[in-house]
Amino acid sequence: MDRKPGYHNFIVQGSILAIAGILCRIIGMLYRIPLVDIIGTIGNGYYTSAYSIYNILLIVSSYSLPTAISKIVSVRLAKGRTEDVRRVLRVTFVYSTIVGALMCALMFFGAEAIASFMDKPFLMYVLRTLAPTIWIMAYLGLLRGYFQGTGNMMPTAISQILEQIVNAIVSLVMAYILFGYGEKANYIYEETDFSYAYGAAGGTIGTGAGALIALLFFILLLFLYGVDVPEARTGAVSADRRGDSRSRQRRTARPESYGHIARTLLVTLLPILISSCVYNISTVVDDFIFSNAMTAIGLGSSVVLLWGIFGEYHILFNVPVAISNALSSSVIPSLTNAAAERNKKLVVSKIRMSIRFTMLIAIPATVGMIVLAEPICNLLFNTEDNATLIQVVMIGAAAVVFYSLSTITTGILQGLGHLSEPLRNSAIALVLHVGVLLFLLYVPKLGIYAVIISNIFFAIVVCLLNAGCIRRHVRYRQNFKKTYIIPLLASLIMGVVTFLLHKGISFIMPAGLRDGRIGLLIIVGVCMAAALFVYFISLLLLRAFNRSELLQMPMGARIYRLARAMGMMD
């Protein structure tokens, strides 16, 4: 079996996307700080609502394409059928053109109706500026899926970083310009929300600009290398070296018809698409239920403000969850190949390591968010009263673990070829989630906390259902101690040390410096550096992994050499 790292080592490829995802989330978090300063928490409420609707339409046009195409491409490359890969791209291009245009038109021309339905009339301005991005992302999803299917995550990673950098710059400039126009509109029409809505709309223009740059990057790659890039030949080359006559026969067989490829695309895409819709539509459902429930109890005036706080929480929440999203993207083609080869040992190994690696990141991230909620929130959103946001972050931190786990287990099931099960599991969780949310919203004084708690409940249900499905198909046992208990113990040690360090630095630091952004940056920076060191040492002391396990992880060889030099590993 070919052991070429770029093709089989999904942890390494996943780490490429994970690093890119983290960098993108950090860039996104950093630019959202001045963006919120410009448009305010109310503007951020419009921004968050628009994105939840945009994400649903994006799922239909492009969000599911990378997963579906990577699965289809990886199967054909494993058989050496590169001509069929070209045909897959042509068929998918037609799909992207038609569906991208339809979703773009729906969002643009339906913006007023959607805003009225959400009980936020000014939301239509933000929706219309986002609409063209949906069409651009349809083509971008196609190209990202192709390269991920070849086992090469680098183009996707680079494009994501380029996209986010351009997004950040254009968003801030346009938000500032349009917020000023909105203030003039407020004066003319005697309103208060034109400035917030226009500012949020300016922020979304950057999303389209970033997507366009990323698309141009992929077009440049195709212009330079064509479709048959070196990575796409890996499966065929390795098969030739093995002298596999059956693989040669497949490569010389008649190409698949376009009709067959179109049917294969739809059969692969629809379960993933519907599953993703169900999984992501919960935010839109939450927004609608929350807005109407708060209006019904006489608190409608605070809806946009509270939803803006929810959006600020999601800025922090999305950073660690990016890792599980990246691993989920990389594990699908990897598991598809392992399953096609009927290599049960490899399948089990990939499942076990992907879940363990995800938990090694998600659990300490949760503890860190709880312990450092106050300084992080005050650092990022220094111009606001963050009392509610801090409580939301502390309560909602648990969602990081469960959303990360539900995302990676969904990717595992899709990689194993069981595409309908994540859909069913997400649908069940969504129904239960809505029931819990409706109940909690009428509990006095819960408000936005009801949304947080019901979201955690949703992710827990998906985790449990997905875990049951995986065990039924693969029949393996996850090492509970190494996957959950040891990272939790190491995280608790890290949390205690970080909390004491935070309080100690805050105590000795002058009040004037402590409450400013420079002082908060020092506190957060020192505490996070200490937290990483303590967590790493704790993992080694608790024997979280052995030498072979460590070497499979990103930068594992360097970490092993460091641990051995410290006398903490043989």
Side-chain angles (χ1 to χ4, degrees):
M1 183 172 58
D2 185 17
R3 292 288 179 184
K4 202 173 182 69
Y7 193 68
H8 277 292
N9 192 345
F10 78 98
I11 289 290
V12 172
Q13 291 297 326
S15 70
I16 292 173
L17 279 185
I19 292 169
I22 293 170
L23 285 174
C24 289
R25 291 300 192 277
I26 290 173
I27 294 170
M29 184 173 64
L30 291 176
Y31 95 79
R32 287 288 293 276
I33 299 169
L35 181 63
V36 174
D37 287 346
I38 293 169
I39 67 177
T41 301
I42 294 176
N44 193 49
Y46 286 120
Y47 187 92
T48 304
S49 291
Y51 263 91
S52 64
I53 296 162
Y54 162 78
N55 282 333
I56 297 301
L57 298 179
L58 191 66
I59 287 169
V60 177
S61 70
S62 66
Y63 185 83
S64 304
L65 280 178
T67 299
I69 295 171
S70 68
K71 182 177 177 64
I72 295 171
V73 167
S74 64
V75 169
R76 280 147 185 80
L77 288 180
K79 298 176 181 179
R81 300 179 65 93
T82 53
E83 177 57 34
D84 289 341
V85 171
R86 293 188 182 92
R87 292 189 168 214
V88 168
L89 293 181
R90 292 174 193 135
V91 169
T92 312
F93 178 81
V94 174
Y95 171 89
S96 299
T97 300
I98 295 172
V99 178
L102 287 174
M103 293 302 103
C104 173
L106 176 62
M107 192 169 187
F108 186 86
F109 295 107
E112 187 172 358
I114 295 171
S116 177
F117 180 75
M118 300 299 292
D119 200 23
K120 297 173 183 175
F122 291 92
L123 184 62
M124 67 176 179
Y125 301 110
V126 194
L127 294 174
R128 282 177 177 160
T129 57
L130 263 176
T133 309
I134 295 176
W135 203 347
I136 297 171
M137 289 296 293
Y139 298 119
L140 192 55
L142 156 63
L143 294 172
R144 282 174 172 165
Y146 163 68
F147 280 99
Q148 287 171 203
T150 67
N152 183 10
M153 306 297 170
M154 188 62 73
T156 295
I158 294 172
S159 72
Q160 287 176 342
I161 294 171
L162 282 174
E163 179 184 354
Q164 196 62 262
I165 291 172
V166 174
N167 179 14
I169 295 170
V170 176
S171 291
L172 293 176
V173 172
M174 295 307 299
Y176 179 81
I177 293 172
L178 291 186
F179 189 88
Y181 280 110
E183 287 183 319
K184 295 176 182 177
N186 284 340
Y187 178 77
I188 295 170
Y189 296 105
E190 298 182 349
E191 289 282 356
T192 58
D193 280 22
F194 274 112
S195 55
Y196 300 123
Y198 280 21
T204 62
I205 290 175
T207 306
L212 181 60
I213 291 297
L215 178 61
L216 292 175
F217 168 74
F218 274 110
I219 292 173
L220 178 63
L221 282 184
L222 291 179
F223 178 77
L224 293 175
Y225 300 107
V227 171
D228 194 16
V229 296
E231 286 80 2
R233 297 194 297 267
T234 304
V237 171
S238 61
D240 283 337
R241 287 174 179 170
R242 290 195 305 267
D244 190 334
S245 61
R246 287 178 298 178
S247 293
R248 291 195 199 96
Q249 291 170 5
R250 287 167 183 158
R251 291 195 298 278
T252 57
R254 181 180 298 174
E256 293 178 81
S257 69
Y258 286 106
H260 180 265
I261 290 174
R263 288 191 296 273
T264 302
L265 176 64
L266 290 177
V267 169
T268 306
L269 182 65
L270 284 176
I272 299 173
L273 187 152
I274 298 170
S275 177
S276 299
C277 277
V278 172
Y279 193 80
N280 288 275
I281 202 173
S282 61
T283 304
V284 178
V285 173
D286 289 348
D287 194 352
F288 173 73
I289 293 175
F290 179 72
S291 298
N292 285 274
M294 293 293 283
T295 301
I297 61 178
L299 297 174
S301 60
S302 62
V303 165
V304 179
L305 176 66
L306 289 173
W307 205 249
I309 291 173
F310 180 74
E312 291 169 352
Y313 152 72
H314 260 269
I315 295 173
L316 298 174
F317 165 84
N318 283 333
V319 174
V321 173
I323 295 175
S324 61
N325 286 332
L327 273 176
S328 178
S329 297
S330 67
V331 79
I332 290 172
S334 178
L335 272 178
T336 299
N337 288 324
E341 294 171 359
R342 299 184 181 276
N343 190 332
K344 183 178 178 181
K345 184 177 179 180
L346 185 61
V347 168
V348 170
S349 174
K350 289 178 183 296
I351 293 172
R352 186 174 287 131
M353 288 304 298
S354 62
I355 293 176
R356 279 189 63 189
F357 185 65
T358 299
M359 291 298 98
L360 282 171
I361 303 299
I363 293 174
T366 295
V367 174
M369 283 178 65
I370 294 171
V371 172
L372 296 177
E374 182 180 351
I376 289 176
C377 291
N378 288 333
L379 170 64
L380 298 181
F381 310 106
N382 198 251
T383 61
E384 307 286 340
D385 179 5
N386 292 319
T388 302
L389 175 61
I390 292 167
Q391 292 297 319
V392 165
V393 169
M394 293 179 72
I395 294 171
V400 170
V401 169
F402 298 112
Y403 266 93
S404 297
L405 188 57
S406 63
T407 300
I408 193 66
T409 52
T410 294
I412 288 169
L413 285 172
Q414 291 170 347
L416 292 173
H418 304 288
L419 303 179
S420 63
E421 291 182 349
L423 166 61
R424 183 196 64 201
N425 296 341
S426 296
I428 293 170
L430 180 62
V431 171
L432 296 174
H433 158 78
V434 169
V436 170
L437 177 59
L438 288 169
F439 171 76
L440 292 177
L441 279 172
Y442 290 95
V443 175
K445 298 183 180 180
L446 263 186
I448 194 65
Y449 301 108
V451 179
I452 302 296
I453 295 169
S454 62
N455 271 291
I456 296 173
F457 176 79
F458 170 83
I460 291 173
V461 173
V462 174
C463 288
L464 294 174
L465 294 175
N466 283 355
C469 292
I470 293 171
R471 281 197 299 270
R472 186 168 64 252
H473 294 303
V474 181
R475 299 185 182 279
Y476 89 107
R477 285 182 175 274
Q478 189 75 29
N479 188 319
F480 194 83
K481 179 182 177 182
K482 285 190 173 183
T483 304
Y484 303 105
I485 300 299
I486 290 179
L488 179 59
L489 290 175
S491 298
L492 291 175
I493 295 169
M494 175 202 77
V496 171
V497 173
T498 304
F499 176 79
L500 294 174
L501 183 62
H502 164 220
K503 293 300 180 183
I505 297 175
S506 299
F507 179 77
I508 63 175
M509 186 176 287
L513 178 62
R514 181 181 62 225
D515 297 331
R517 271 191 166 149
I518 294 177
L520 289 167
L521 182 61
I522 293 171
I523 292 172
V524 172
V526 171
C527 287
M528 289 185 69
L532 287 171
F533 178 77
V534 171
Y535 180 62
F536 171 68
I537 297 298
S538 299
L539 286 177
L540 293 178
L541 291 173
L542 293 169
R543 305 292 180 184
F545 27 66
N546 56 36
R547 178 179 178 275
S548 62
E549 291 170 339
L550 184 58
L551 291 177
Q552 293 181 60
M553 296 182 182
M555 298 181 65
R558 294 182 182 180
I559 296 174
Y560 171 71
R561 287 195 295 270
L562 176 62
R564 191 175 180 184
M566 297 171 64
M568 304 185 74
M569 186 169 281
D570 298 329

Short mmCIF file of all heavy atoms in Angstrom, two decimals, residues 27-51:
data_model
loop_
_atom_site.label_atom_id
_atom_site.label_comp_id
_atom_site.label_asym_id
_atom_site.label_seq_id
_atom_site.Cartn_x
_atom_site.Cartn_y
_atom_site.Cartn_z
N ILE A 27 -7.50 36.00 12.03
CA ILE A 27 -7.66 37.21 11.21
C ILE A 27 -9.09 37.72 11.32
O ILE A 27 -9.34 38.92 11.49
CB ILE A 27 -7.30 36.93 9.73
CG1 ILE A 27 -5.81 36.60 9.60
CG2 ILE A 27 -7.64 38.14 8.86
CD1 ILE A 27 -5.43 36.06 8.23
N GLY A 28 -10.05 36.78 11.22
CA GLY A 28 -11.46 37.16 11.34
C GLY A 28 -11.77 37.79 12.68
O GLY A 28 -12.52 38.76 12.76
N MET A 29 -11.20 37.21 13.74
CA MET A 29 -11.43 37.75 15.07
C MET A 29 -10.80 39.13 15.22
O MET A 29 -11.41 40.04 15.79
CB MET A 29 -10.85 36.79 16.12
CG MET A 29 -11.11 37.19 17.56
SD MET A 29 -10.59 35.91 18.73
CE MET A 29 -8.82 35.89 18.44
N LEU A 30 -9.58 39.28 14.67
CA LEU A 30 -8.88 40.56 14.81
C LEU A 30 -9.58 41.68 14.05
O LEU A 30 -9.71 42.80 14.53
CB LEU A 30 -7.44 40.41 14.34
CG LEU A 30 -6.53 39.54 15.23
CD1 LEU A 30 -5.16 39.40 14.60
CD2 LEU A 30 -6.42 40.12 16.63
N TYR A 31 -10.06 41.38 12.83
CA TYR A 31 -10.71 42.46 12.08
C TYR A 31 -12.12 42.73 12.59
O TYR A 31 -12.65 43.83 12.42
CB TYR A 31 -10.69 42.17 10.57
CG TYR A 31 -11.90 41.50 9.99
CD1 TYR A 31 -13.06 42.22 9.69
CD2 TYR A 31 -11.89 40.13 9.69
CE1 TYR A 31 -14.17 41.61 9.14
CE2 TYR A 31 -12.99 39.51 9.13
CZ TYR A 31 -14.13 40.26 8.86
OH TYR A 31 -15.22 39.64 8.32
N ARG A 32 -12.75 41.73 13.23
CA ARG A 32 -14.07 41.97 13.79
C ARG A 32 -14.03 42.91 14.98
O ARG A 32 -15.04 43.53 15.33
CB ARG A 32 -14.71 40.63 14.21
CG ARG A 32 -15.17 39.75 13.06
CD ARG A 32 -16.39 40.27 12.37
NE ARG A 32 -17.58 40.22 13.20
CZ ARG A 32 -18.36 39.17 13.35
NH1 ARG A 32 -18.06 38.03 12.72
NH2 ARG A 32 -19.43 39.23 14.11
N ILE A 33 -12.87 43.03 15.62
CA ILE A 33 -12.75 43.97 16.75
C ILE A 33 -12.99 45.40 16.27
O ILE A 33 -13.90 46.08 16.76
CB ILE A 33 -11.37 43.84 17.44
CG1 ILE A 33 -11.19 42.43 18.00
CG2 ILE A 33 -11.23 44.88 18.54
CD1 ILE A 33 -9.78 42.14 18.46
N PRO A 34 -12.18 45.92 15.31
CA PRO A 34 -12.46 47.27 14.82
C PRO A 34 -13.79 47.36 14.06
O PRO A 34 -14.42 48.41 14.04
CB PRO A 34 -11.28 47.59 13.90
CG PRO A 34 -10.71 46.27 13.52
CD PRO A 34 -10.95 45.37 14.69
N LEU A 35 -14.23 46.25 13.45
CA LEU A 35 -15.52 46.27 12.74
C LEU A 35 -16.66 46.52 13.71
O LEU A 35 -17.54 47.35 13.45
CB LEU A 35 -15.74 44.96 11.99
CG LEU A 35 -17.05 44.86 11.19
CD1 LEU A 35 -17.07 45.90 10.07
CD2 LEU A 35 -17.24 43.46 10.62
N VAL A 36 -16.64 45.82 14.84
CA VAL A 36 -17.68 46.04 15.86
C VAL A 36 -17.56 47.44 16.45
O VAL A 36 -18.55 48.07 16.78
CB VAL A 36 -17.61 44.95 16.95
CG1 VAL A 36 -18.58 45.26 18.09
CG2 VAL A 36 -17.93 43.58 16.37
N ASP A 37 -16.31 47.92 16.57
CA ASP A 37 -16.13 49.31 17.04
C ASP A 37 -16.80 50.29 16.08
O ASP A 37 -17.35 51.31 16.50
CB ASP A 37 -14.63 49.64 17.14
CG ASP A 37 -13.98 48.95 18.35
OD1 ASP A 37 -14.72 48.45 19.22
OD2 ASP A 37 -12.74 48.90 18.40
N ILE A 38 -16.75 49.99 14.78
CA ILE A 38 -17.34 50.88 13.77
C ILE A 38 -18.86 50.77 13.74
O ILE A 38 -19.57 51.79 13.78
CB ILE A 38 -16.76 50.56 12.36
CG1 ILE A 38 -15.27 50.91 12.30
CG2 ILE A 38 -17.52 51.34 11.28
CD1 ILE A 38 -14.57 50.39 11.06
N ILE A 39 -19.38 49.54 13.68
CA ILE A 39 -20.83 49.36 13.47
C ILE A 39 -21.60 49.14 14.76
O ILE A 39 -22.84 49.16 14.75
CB ILE A 39 -21.09 48.19 12.50
CG1 ILE A 39 -20.68 46.85 13.11
CG2 ILE A 39 -20.38 48.41 11.17
CD1 ILE A 39 -20.99 45.63 12.23
N GLY A 40 -20.88 48.91 15.88
CA GLY A 40 -21.57 48.72 17.16
C GLY A 40 -22.17 47.33 17.31
O GLY A 40 -22.26 46.57 16.35
N THR A 41 -22.63 47.01 18.52
CA THR A 41 -23.22 45.71 18.77
C THR A 41 -24.53 45.53 17.99
O THR A 41 -24.85 44.44 17.53
CB THR A 41 -23.48 45.52 20.28
OG1 THR A 41 -22.24 45.64 20.99
CG2 THR A 41 -24.08 44.16 20.57
N ILE A 42 -25.29 46.62 17.81
CA ILE A 42 -26.53 46.52 17.03
C ILE A 42 -26.20 46.21 15.57
O ILE A 42 -26.83 45.34 14.94
CB ILE A 42 -27.34 47.83 17.13
CG1 ILE A 42 -27.83 48.02 18.57
CG2 ILE A 42 -28.51 47.82 16.16
CD1 ILE A 42 -28.55 49.33 18.80
N GLY A 43 -25.20 46.88 15.03
CA GLY A 43 -24.76 46.57 13.67
C GLY A 43 -24.28 45.13 13.56
O GLY A 43 -24.54 44.46 12.56
N ASN A 44 -23.60 44.65 14.60
CA ASN A 44 -23.15 43.26 14.61
C ASN A 44 -24.33 42.30 14.66
O ASN A 44 -24.25 41.18 14.16
CB ASN A 44 -22.22 43.02 15.80
CG ASN A 44 -21.47 41.71 15.69
OD1 ASN A 44 -20.88 41.41 14.67
ND2 ASN A 44 -21.50 40.92 16.76
N GLY A 45 -25.43 42.74 15.26
CA GLY A 45 -26.65 41.93 15.26
C GLY A 45 -27.19 41.73 13.86
O GLY A 45 -27.57 40.63 13.47
N TYR A 46 -27.23 42.80 13.06
CA TYR A 46 -27.64 42.70 11.66
C TYR A 46 -26.66 41.82 10.87
O TYR A 46 -27.06 40.99 10.05
CB TYR A 46 -27.72 44.08 11.02
CG TYR A 46 -28.93 44.89 11.45
CD1 TYR A 46 -28.78 46.11 12.10
CD2 TYR A 46 -30.22 44.43 11.21
CE1 TYR A 46 -29.88 46.86 12.50
CE2 TYR A 46 -31.33 45.16 11.60
CZ TYR A 46 -31.15 46.38 12.24
OH TYR A 46 -32.25 47.11 12.64
N TYR A 47 -25.39 42.02 11.13
CA TYR A 47 -24.33 41.27 10.46
C TYR A 47 -24.48 39.77 10.73
O TYR A 47 -24.42 38.94 9.81
CB TYR A 47 -22.99 41.78 10.99
CG TYR A 47 -21.75 41.25 10.31
CD1 TYR A 47 -21.19 41.92 9.23
CD2 TYR A 47 -21.11 40.11 10.77
CE1 TYR A 47 -20.03 41.46 8.62
CE2 TYR A 47 -19.96 39.63 10.17
CZ TYR A 47 -19.42 40.32 9.10
OH TYR A 47 -18.28 39.86 8.50
N THR A 48 -24.73 39.40 11.99
CA THR A 48 -24.86 38.00 12.38
C THR A 48 -26.11 37.38 11.78
O THR A 48 -26.08 36.24 11.28
CB THR A 48 -24.89 37.88 13.91
OG1 THR A 48 -23.71 38.49 14.46
CG2 THR A 48 -24.94 36.42 14.35
N SER A 49 -27.23 38.10 11.81
CA SER A 49 -28.47 37.58 11.22
C SER A 49 -28.32 37.35 9.73
O SER A 49 -28.78 36.32 9.19
CB SER A 49 -29.62 38.56 11.47
OG SER A 49 -29.96 38.61 12.84
N ALA A 50 -27.70 38.29 9.04
CA ALA A 50 -27.51 38.15 7.59
C ALA A 50 -26.66 36.93 7.27
O ALA A 50 -26.95 36.18 6.32
CB ALA A 50 -26.87 39.41 7.02
N TYR A 51 -25.62 36.71 8.07
CA TYR A 51 -24.74 35.58 7.80
C TYR A 51 -25.41 34.25 8.06
O TYR A 51 -25.10 33.25 7.39
CB TYR A 51 -23.45 35.71 8.61
CG TYR A 51 -22.33 36.30 7.80
CD1 TYR A 51 -22.11 37.67 7.79
CD2 TYR A 51 -21.53 35.52 7.00
CE1 TYR A 51 -21.12 38.24 7.01
CE2 TYR A 51 -20.52 36.05 6.23
CZ TYR A 51 -20.31 37.42 6.24
OH TYR A 51 -19.33 37.95 5.46
#
